[in-house]
Amino acid sequence: KDAPVPLTAAQLTEAEAARLAAAGGWPARPMCSLAGRKKTLWAWTVATWFGAGFGKPGPGTWGSVAAVLIWTGVALGFHPSAQWMIGLTLAGVVLAVGIGVPAATIAARESGRKDPGFVVVDEVAGQWIALLGARPDWKHIVLALLLFRVFDIYKPFPVRQLEKLPEGWGIVFDDVAAGLYAWAVMMLLSRWIS
């Protein structure tokens, strides 16, 4: 017996989705696959932060963890002074934002999505902002990660409003703002963390 032909997202109606769900499953292949779409290699590599954005569940968290691992590797591997670490982190933020905005724009256009979840270069920039001036010990690193994820997910004013900026600007700058919130709270709390 021939296997049913998978539907595309455009062919799937609400009634068909209900029928498939009632029957206990979806088509064998993903309906919203990005396969076959044009992809600009450099933009997708940067936007997904070398594939971290394809991690499941929660690609944003995977992007943040990747940023934390890079930051921690530099801090513990090279032992730069606090001033050098701040300078290196700021340079990383500028680079992530400067290359991330056009990369996010291209990946969003090519995927046909306004703010694709797999674009995580914005989480990298925001996470590095949250780590600015942090001590390279596990308490400060975990606190910076948790604070950034909370502000990125809940998006207090004006973080959510920044998503309305066009294309890559909106994708990246809401996370920059979330990073600034996390950084401010981190600086306040770090006085009590030894």
Side-chain angles (χ1 to χ4, degrees):
K1 184 176 176 180
D2 291 334
V5 176
L7 301 171
T8 65
Q11 294 169 321
L12 186 66
T13 64
E14 285 186 40
E16 185 66 11
R19 185 191 69 72
L20 287 168
W26 293 91
R29 291 183 294 190
M31 297 179 314
C32 58
S33 171
L34 297 172
R37 290 186 182 249
K38 176 189 170 217
K39 295 183 188 102
T40 305
L41 182 61
W42 78 265
W44 282 73
T45 302
V46 170
T48 65
W49 200 249
F50 305 92
F54 295 121
K56 301 285 182 210
T61 300
W62 288 105
S64 293
V65 167
V68 165
L69 290 174
I70 292 168
W71 186 89
T72 304
V74 170
L76 299 179
F78 296 102
H79 306 287
S81 68
Q83 292 80 11
W84 266 101
M85 196 62 200
I86 289 171
L88 290 170
T89 306
L90 278 172
V93 169
V94 169
L95 191 63
V97 170
I99 296 174
V101 169
T105 298
I106 291 167
R109 285 179 185 171
E110 290 177 357
S111 71
R113 301 176 190 172
K114 183 179 181 338
D115 188 354
F118 58 80
V119 173
V120 296
V121 68
D122 50 334
E123 273 81 8
V124 172
Q127 186 62 67
W128 284 344
I129 290 169
L131 286 163
L132 276 169
R135 285 185 233 147
D137 61 47
W138 73 270
K139 291 177 187 176
H140 289 87
I141 293 168
V142 170
L143 181 61
L145 176 65
L146 293 174
L147 286 171
F148 174 69
R149 292 309 302 145
V150 165
F151 285 114
D152 185 32
I153 291 166
Y154 290 105
K155 300 188 186 304
F157 182 83
V159 175
R160 187 162 310 280
Q161 287 69 21
L162 292 172
E163 289 180 315
K164 296 175 185 168
L165 291 170
E167 300 186 301
W169 297 99
I171 293 171
V172 172
F173 274 88
D174 70 312
D175 289 72
V176 167
L180 289 169
Y181 269 112
W183 172 80
V185 173
M186 177 79 177
M187 290 299 102
L188 289 172
L189 293 179
S190 65
R191 296 173 188 254
W192 293 282
I193 299 173
S194 55

